Amino acid sequence: MNLPETDTSLFKRLRFVLVGTSHPGNIGAVARAMKTMGFSELYLVSPRFSDALTNPDAIAFASGAQDILQAATIVNSIDEALLDCHYVAAVSARLREFSPPILSPRQLAAHLSQSTQKSVALVFGNERYGLPNEIVVNCNALINIPANPEYSSLNLAQAVQLLAYECRVAEVDGEVDKLSAQSDIGFQGKTASLNEIDGMYTHLEKALVTIDFLDPASPKKLMPRLKRMFSRTQLETEEVNILRGIAKKIIDFKG
Ligand code: SAH
């Protein structure tokens, strides 16, 4: 599905920042991971090799995502990379005693997709040392990928892939919701009110008593179970009316 990429879309607002990356191959693989998920803004803070963006390994691992490498920005400090970012999340394999609030990738993606901040960033650490504490404490959130506790350190580009994927899914789902709210795409009826649903339950109960499916002297948990099931479905007015129509037919038929 092609969704419009407006300036407010997360695809345009989210920046990926790699701090002190050692292996140019990883930088290329990050570019590829980002592009497959529709993101393009890449910043490198002091990569180990100054030719990181043109290094043969970087180019080979980027595969068809060389445009992301060519457009990437190399800076000397984290402050330069985060200039005009309004929300920054540190992505770290290690939890720390003093850290910003910890979020899962999915929670972060939902937050970013719903946010209206013009620029937001994800910051990733070096392959061996991770992110320095000074950077983590200044971030708005710490993102930890809930991996195998006995072996929890992912390859840098795979960590980027996972975050980019979660952000894409959250953004695409959000766009679909917005589109269907604005138009008739993906029909959505009026959500039934509690009153309407209550009336339907009464009607349905009466019908079930009529056909002896429900014994009023010993109702057990039938109605609570049915209510629980319907409460998971976000009933619409039209659907409530259909169920009432069925209940009415049952009552008329028996009566
Ligand atoms: N030994 C390092 C791991 C570095 S892996 C450390 O202990 O931090 C390189 C980068 O990939 C990390 O800095 C982080 O940004 C990301 N990463 C790898 N595994 C991760 C995980 N389980 N959760 C969150 N980020 C992870």
Side-chain angles (χ1 to χ4, degrees):
M1 180 181 358
N2 281 325
L3 293 166
E5 279 195 17
T6 57
D7 282 347
T8 55
S9 123
L10 190 56
F11 299 113
K12 292 269 160 66
R13 296 186 289 123
L14 180 58
R15 177 179 303 177
F16 286 75
V17 179
L18 308 183
V19 178
T21 311
S22 296
H23 299 291
N26 275 338
I27 296 172
V30 164
R32 183 175 185 174
M34 288 171 57
K35 188 167 176 177
T36 53
M37 295 299 124
F39 297 96
S40 57
E41 204 180 341
L42 174 61
Y43 273 65
L44 306 178
V45 180
S46 314
R48 183 161 90 182
F49 296 106
S50 55
D51 72 340
L53 298 175
T54 49
N55 182 289
D57 273 355
I59 290 172
F61 277 89
S63 192
Q66 283 179 43
D67 51 330
I68 308 278
L69 283 185
Q70 275 160 16
T73 309
I74 298 189
V75 292
N76 291 321
S77 70
I78 185 74
D79 291 346
E80 284 170 83
L82 299 178
L83 208 67
D84 49 73
C85 283
H86 299 95
Y87 182 95
V88 180
V91 185
S92 172
R94 262 176 301 131
L95 298 178
R96 304 149 203 251
E97 202 179 345
F98 296 102
S99 86
I102 298 163
L103 299 180
S104 71
R106 198 156 295 173
Q107 289 168 323
L108 170 87
H111 175 81
L112 291 183
S113 157
Q114 282 156 22
S115 77
T116 50
Q117 283 133 335
K118 237 174 109 220
S119 274
V120 292
L122 293 178
V123 185
F124 297 82
N126 164 275
E127 292 91 330
R128 183 172 302 176
Y129 309 108
L131 275 175
N133 272 332
E134 310 85 79
I135 291 183
V136 174
V137 293
N138 284 324
C139 288
N140 301 96
L142 177 74
I143 315 308
N144 183 251
I145 298 166
N148 175 1
E150 278 148 41
Y151 189 65
S152 61
S153 176
L154 280 76
N155 163 268
L156 170 62
Q158 290 173 351
V160 169
Q161 184 77 73
L162 204 140
L163 265 296
Y165 170 76
E166 288 290 347
C167 289
R168 179 177 186 81
V169 171
E171 183 65 5
V172 168
D173 284 354
E175 289 294 333
V176 170
D177 286 349
K178 274 184 236 157
L179 277 181
S180 59
Q182 281 162 14
S183 67
D184 288 339
I185 303 170
F187 172 79
Q188 257 196 331
K190 192 168 126 301
T191 306
S193 70
L194 288 182
N195 236 349
E196 288 171 324
I197 295 175
D198 246 15
M200 182 272 285
Y201 287 146
T202 311
H203 213 150
L204 187 62
E205 190 169 1
K206 220 167 131 192
L208 295 173
V209 170
T210 308
I211 54 169
D212 292 333
F213 193 81
L214 176 64
D215 177 3
S218 166
K220 306 222 175 79
K221 290 269 178 265
L222 180 62
M223 286 316 290
R225 297 297 311 213
L226 289 176
K227 288 180 184 179
R228 192 173 125 85
M229 179 183 83
F230 283 123
S231 70
R232 290 198 300 267
T233 67
Q234 269 251 328
L235 283 166
E236 294 172 1
T237 300
E238 196 102 343
E239 294 159 347
V240 165
N241 288 338
I242 292 171
L243 289 165
R244 289 194 78 145
I246 296 172
K248 182 173 181 317
K249 275 278 176 200
I250 292 173
I251 296 165
D252 291 351
F253 187 74
K254 274 296 259 186

